[in-house]
PDB file of all heavy atoms in Angstrom:
ATOM      1  N   SER D  97     204.127  11.230-109.850  1.00 98.00           N
ATOM      2  CA  SER D  97     204.896  12.296-109.192  1.00 98.00           C
ATOM      3  C   SER D  97     206.003  11.680-108.347  1.00 98.00           C
ATOM      4  O   SER D  97     206.663  12.370-107.589  1.00 98.00           O
ATOM      5  CB  SER D  97     203.964  13.095-108.264  1.00 98.00           C
ATOM      6  OG  SER D  97     203.432  12.220-107.278  1.00 98.00           O
ATOM      7  N   LYS D  99     209.245  10.536-107.359  1.00 98.00           N
ATOM      8  CA  LYS D  99     210.660  10.681-107.758  1.00 98.00           C
ATOM      9  C   LYS D  99     211.520   9.480-107.376  1.00 98.00           C
ATOM     10  O   LYS D  99     212.488   9.164-108.058  1.00 98.00           O
ATOM     11  CB  LYS D  99     211.274  11.970-107.205  1.00 98.00           C
ATOM     12  CG  LYS D  99     211.017  12.250-105.744  1.00 98.00           C
ATOM     13  CD  LYS D  99     209.897  13.223-105.577  1.00 98.00           C
ATOM     14  CE  LYS D  99     209.333  13.185-104.167  1.00 98.00           C
ATOM     15  NZ  LYS D  99     209.056  14.462-103.620  1.00 98.00           N
ATOM     16  N   ALA D 124     205.799  15.855-112.535  1.00 98.00           N
ATOM     17  CA  ALA D 124     205.710  16.315-111.139  1.00 98.00           C
ATOM     18  C   ALA D 124     206.800  15.727-110.240  1.00 98.00           C
ATOM     19  O   ALA D 124     206.874  16.076-109.068  1.00 98.00           O
ATOM     20  CB  ALA D 124     204.339  15.949-110.570  1.00 98.00           C
ATOM     21  N   SER D 125     207.643  14.865-110.818  1.00 98.00           N
ATOM     22  CA  SER D 125     208.662  14.237-109.957  1.00 98.00           C
ATOM     23  C   SER D 125     209.800  15.197-109.637  1.00 98.00           C
ATOM     24  O   SER D 125     210.548  14.975-108.690  1.00 98.00           O
ATOM     25  CB  SER D 125     209.205  12.957-110.603  1.00 98.00           C
ATOM     26  OG  SER D 125     209.917  13.270-111.780  1.00 98.00           O
ATOM     27  N   VAL D 126     209.956  16.254-110.404  1.00 98.00           N
ATOM     28  CA  VAL D 126     211.008  17.248-110.138  1.00 98.00           C
ATOM     29  C   VAL D 126     210.396  18.642-110.182  1.00 98.00           C
ATOM     30  O   VAL D 126     209.698  18.996-111.130  1.00 98.00           O
ATOM     31  CB  VAL D 126     212.149  17.181-111.183  1.00 98.00           C
ATOM     32  CG1 VAL D 126     213.207  18.248-110.899  1.00 98.00           C
ATOM     33  CG2 VAL D 126     212.784  15.802-111.214  1.00 98.00           C
ATOM     34  N   GLY D 127     210.666  19.423-109.135  1.00 97.00           N
ATOM     35  CA  GLY D 127     210.257  20.839-109.161  1.00 97.00           C
ATOM     36  C   GLY D 127     208.774  21.070-108.946  1.00 97.00           C
ATOM     37  O   GLY D 127     208.274  22.149-109.290  1.00 97.00           O
ATOM     38  N   GLY D 128     208.054  20.099-108.361  1.00 96.00           N
ATOM     39  CA  GLY D 128     206.629  20.299-108.070  1.00 96.00           C
ATOM     40  C   GLY D 128     205.874  20.771-109.301  1.00 96.00           C
ATOM     41  O   GLY D 128     205.802  20.072-110.312  1.00 96.00           O
ATOM     42  N   LEU D 152     216.096  22.244-105.470  1.00 98.00           N
ATOM     43  CA  LEU D 152     215.154  21.216-105.909  1.00 98.00           C
ATOM     44  C   LEU D 152     214.311  20.655-104.784  1.00 98.00           C
ATOM     45  O   LEU D 152     213.556  19.714-104.998  1.00 98.00           O
ATOM     46  CB  LEU D 152     215.915  20.064-106.590  1.00 98.00           C
ATOM     47  CG  LEU D 152     216.671  20.391-107.877  1.00 98.00           C
ATOM     48  CD1 LEU D 152     217.314  19.143-108.460  1.00 98.00           C
ATOM     49  CD2 LEU D 152     215.719  20.985-108.905  1.00 98.00           C
ATOM     50  N   ASN D 153     214.484  21.188-103.590  1.00 98.00           N
ATOM     51  CA  ASN D 153     213.663  20.687-102.478  1.00 98.00           C
ATOM     52  C   ASN D 153     212.956  21.859-101.799  1.00 98.00           C
ATOM     53  O   ASN D 153     213.609  22.738-101.230  1.00 98.00           O
ATOM     54  CB  ASN D 153     214.531  19.900-101.491  1.00 98.00           C
ATOM     55  CG  ASN D 153     213.696  19.312-100.368  1.00 98.00           C
ATOM     56  OD1 ASN D 153     213.571  19.895 -99.306  1.00 98.00           O
ATOM     57  ND2 ASN D 153     213.087  18.170-100.616  1.00 98.00           N
ATOM     58  N   GLY D 154     211.646  21.838-101.871  1.00 98.00           N
ATOM     59  CA  GLY D 154     210.855  22.936-101.317  1.00 98.00           C
ATOM     60  C   GLY D 154     210.882  22.965 -99.797  1.00 98.00           C
ATOM     61  O   GLY D 154     210.940  24.040 -99.187  1.00 98.00           O
ATOM     62  N   THR D 155     210.840  21.790 -99.176  1.00 98.00           N
ATOM     63  CA  THR D 155     210.797  21.715 -97.704  1.00 98.00           C
ATOM     64  C   THR D 155     212.006  22.395 -97.079  1.00 98.00           C
ATOM     65  O   THR D 155     211.875  23.240 -96.195  1.00 98.00           O
ATOM     66  CB  THR D 155     210.738  20.228 -97.267  1.00 98.00           C
ATOM     67  OG1 THR D 155     209.541  19.677 -97.800  1.00 98.00           O
ATOM     68  CG2 THR D 155     210.756  20.077 -95.767  1.00 98.00           C
ATOM     69  N   THR D 156     213.198  22.013 -97.538  1.00 98.00           N
ATOM     70  CA  THR D 156     214.404  22.570 -96.917  1.00 98.00           C
ATOM     71  C   THR D 156     214.543  24.056 -97.234  1.00 98.00           C
ATOM     72  O   THR D 156     214.981  24.835 -96.394  1.00 98.00           O
ATOM     73  CB  THR D 156     215.662  21.807 -97.381  1.00 98.00           C
ATOM     74  OG1 THR D 156     215.595  21.645 -98.795  1.00 98.00           O
ATOM     75  CG2 THR D 156     215.769  20.464 -96.701  1.00 98.00           C
ATOM     76  N   GLY D 181     202.075  20.326 -96.037  1.00 95.00           N
ATOM     77  CA  GLY D 181     202.051  19.268 -97.047  1.00 95.00           C
ATOM     78  C   GLY D 181     203.230  19.316 -98.005  1.00 95.00           C
ATOM     79  O   GLY D 181     203.166  18.792 -99.110  1.00 95.00           O
ATOM     80  N   PHE D 182     204.348  19.924 -97.578  1.00 96.00           N
ATOM     81  CA  PHE D 182     205.537  19.995 -98.447  1.00 96.00           C
ATOM     82  C   PHE D 182     206.464  18.799 -98.220  1.00 96.00           C
ATOM     83  O   PHE D 182     207.145  18.362 -99.134  1.00 96.00           O
ATOM     84  CB  PHE D 182     206.360  21.264 -98.164  1.00 96.00           C
ATOM     85  CG  PHE D 182     205.615  22.560 -98.293  1.00 96.00           C
ATOM     86  CD1 PHE D 182     205.987  23.667 -97.552  1.00 96.00           C
ATOM     87  CD2 PHE D 182     204.549  22.678 -99.175  1.00 96.00           C
ATOM     88  CE1 PHE D 182     205.306  24.875 -97.671  1.00 96.00           C
ATOM     89  CE2 PHE D 182     203.857  23.882 -99.304  1.00 96.00           C
ATOM     90  CZ  PHE D 182     204.237  24.974 -98.544  1.00 96.00           C
ATOM     91  N   ALA D 183     206.520  18.359 -96.955  1.00 96.00           N
ATOM     92  CA  ALA D 183     207.550  17.379 -96.568  1.00 96.00           C
ATOM     93  C   ALA D 183     207.186  15.959 -96.976  1.00 96.00           C
ATOM     94  O   ALA D 183     206.012  15.624 -97.149  1.00 96.00           O
ATOM     95  CB  ALA D 183     207.773  17.453 -95.068  1.00 96.00           C
ATOM     96  N   GLU D 184     208.208  15.138 -97.122  1.00 95.00           N
ATOM     97  CA  GLU D 184     208.022  13.714 -97.401  1.00 95.00           C
ATOM     98  C   GLU D 184     207.518  13.021 -96.138  1.00 95.00           C
ATOM     99  O   GLU D 184     207.684  13.528 -95.029  1.00 95.00           O
ATOM    100  CB  GLU D 184     209.358  13.089 -97.799  1.00 95.00           C
ATOM    101  CG  GLU D 184     209.938  13.643 -99.075  1.00 95.00           C
ATOM    102  CD  GLU D 184     209.017  13.483-100.265  1.00 95.00           C
ATOM    103  OE1 GLU D 184     208.635  12.348-100.567  1.00 95.00           O
ATOM    104  OE2 GLU D 184     208.672  14.497-100.885  1.00 95.00           O
ATOM    105  N   ASP D 190     213.948  14.784 -97.053  1.00 98.00           N
ATOM    106  CA  ASP D 190     214.131  16.208 -97.356  1.00 98.00           C
ATOM    107  C   ASP D 190     215.400  16.730 -96.702  1.00 98.00           C
ATOM    108  O   ASP D 190     216.295  17.243 -97.379  1.00 98.00           O
ATOM    109  CB  ASP D 190     212.933  17.021 -96.844  1.00 98.00           C
ATOM    110  CG  ASP D 190     211.634  16.661 -97.541  1.00 98.00           C
ATOM    111  OD1 ASP D 190     211.582  16.796 -98.770  1.00 98.00           O
ATOM    112  OD2 ASP D 190     210.696  16.246 -96.854  1.00 98.00           O
ATOM    113  N   ASP D 195     215.982  13.612-101.280  1.00 98.00           N
ATOM    114  CA  ASP D 195     214.961  13.990-102.269  1.00 98.00           C
ATOM    115  C   ASP D 195     215.599  14.826-103.390  1.00 98.00           C
ATOM    116  O   ASP D 195     215.395  14.548-104.578  1.00 98.00           O
ATOM    117  CB  ASP D 195     213.851  14.779-101.541  1.00 98.00           C
ATOM    118  CG  ASP D 195     212.777  15.279-102.485  1.00 98.00           C
ATOM    119  OD1 ASP D 195     211.954  14.466-102.917  1.00 98.00           O
ATOM    120  OD2 ASP D 195     212.777  16.491-102.794  1.00 98.00           O
ATOM    121  N   LYS D 199     216.152  13.967-107.457  1.00 98.00           N
ATOM    122  CA  LYS D 199     215.693  14.885-108.508  1.00 98.00           C
ATOM    123  C   LYS D 199     216.843  15.282-109.443  1.00 98.00           C
ATOM    124  O   LYS D 199     216.662  15.348-110.653  1.00 98.00           O
ATOM    125  CB  LYS D 199     215.053  16.119-107.875  1.00 98.00           C
ATOM    126  CG  LYS D 199     213.708  15.780-107.206  1.00 98.00           C
ATOM    127  CD  LYS D 199     213.227  16.924-106.348  1.00 98.00           C
ATOM    128  CE  LYS D 199     211.853  16.671-105.760  1.00 98.00           C
ATOM    129  NZ  LYS D 199     211.502  17.643-104.713  1.00 98.00           N
ATOM    130  N   VAL D 274     208.862  27.868-100.287  1.00 98.00           N
ATOM    131  CA  VAL D 274     208.735  26.545-100.915  1.00 98.00           C
ATOM    132  C   VAL D 274     209.106  26.578-102.409  1.00 98.00           C
ATOM    133  O   VAL D 274     209.078  25.566-103.097  1.00 98.00           O
ATOM    134  CB  VAL D 274     207.303  26.013-100.691  1.00 98.00           C
ATOM    135  CG1 VAL D 274     206.304  26.800-101.521  1.00 98.00           C
ATOM    136  CG2 VAL D 274     207.202  24.527-100.974  1.00 98.00           C
ATOM    137  N   ASN D 276     211.141  26.557-105.835  1.00 98.00           N
ATOM    138  CA  ASN D 276     212.317  25.905-106.420  1.00 98.00           C
ATOM    139  C   ASN D 276     212.750  26.722-107.625  1.00 98.00           C
ATOM    140  O   ASN D 276     211.938  27.464-108.193  1.00 98.00           O
ATOM    141  CB  ASN D 276     211.979  24.509-106.960  1.00 98.00           C
ATOM    142  CG  ASN D 276     211.860  23.420-105.907  1.00 98.00           C
ATOM    143  OD1 ASN D 276     211.777  22.250-106.243  1.00 98.00           O
ATOM    144  ND2 ASN D 276     211.817  23.779-104.640  1.00 98.00           N
ATOM    145  N   GLY D 294     207.772  24.498-105.693  1.00 97.00           N
ATOM    146  CA  GLY D 294     208.458  23.218-105.799  1.00 97.00           C
ATOM    147  C   GLY D 294     207.789  22.079-105.072  1.00 97.00           C
ATOM    148  O   GLY D 294     208.210  20.929-105.185  1.00 97.00           O
ATOM    149  N   ALA D 295     206.757  22.361-104.289  1.00 97.00           N
ATOM    150  CA  ALA D 295     206.057  21.316-103.543  1.00 97.00           C
ATOM    151  C   ALA D 295     204.674  21.846-103.205  1.00 97.00           C
ATOM    152  O   ALA D 295     204.384  23.031-103.423  1.00 97.00           O
ATOM    153  CB  ALA D 295     206.822  20.970-102.272  1.00 97.00           C
ATOM    154  N   GLY D 296     203.855  20.965-102.645  1.00 96.00           N
ATOM    155  CA  GLY D 296     202.510  21.390-102.250  1.00 96.00           C
ATOM    156  C   GLY D 296     201.476  20.704-103.108  1.00 96.00           C
ATOM    157  O   GLY D 296     201.732  20.329-104.258  1.00 96.00           O
ATOM    158  N   THR D 300     201.765  20.531-107.403  1.00 98.00           N
ATOM    159  CA  THR D 300     202.239  19.207-107.824  1.00 98.00           C
ATOM    160  C   THR D 300     201.140  18.498-108.618  1.00 98.00           C
ATOM    161  O   THR D 300     201.398  17.893-109.662  1.00 98.00           O
ATOM    162  CB  THR D 300     202.670  18.378-106.598  1.00 98.00           C
ATOM    163  OG1 THR D 300     203.532  19.195-105.790  1.00 98.00           O
ATOM    164  CG2 THR D 300     203.405  17.120-106.994  1.00 98.00           C
TER     165      THR D 300
HETATM  166  N1  HSE V 401     209.240  16.969-100.201  1.00 55.13           N
HETATM  167  C1  HSE V 401     209.384  17.475-101.513  1.00 55.13           C
HETATM  168  C2  HSE V 401     209.917  18.902-101.426  1.00 55.13           C
HETATM  169  C3  HSE V 401     208.053  17.437-102.211  1.00 55.13           C
HETATM  170  O1  HSE V 401     209.834  19.482-100.356  1.00 55.13           O
HETATM  171  O2  HSE V 401     210.433  19.419-102.408  1.00 55.13           O
HETATM  172  C4  HSE V 401     208.111  17.786-103.677  1.00 55.13           C
HETATM  173  O3  HSE V 401     208.858  16.853-104.409  1.00 55.13           O
END
Side-chain angles (χ1 to χ4, degrees):
S97 61
K99 47 261 162 138
S125 66
V126 179
L152 296 183
N153 183 265
T155 298
T156 46
F182 304 152
E184 296 302 303
D190 296 301
D195 177 75
K199 290 168 175 168
V274 71
N276 282 190
T300 311

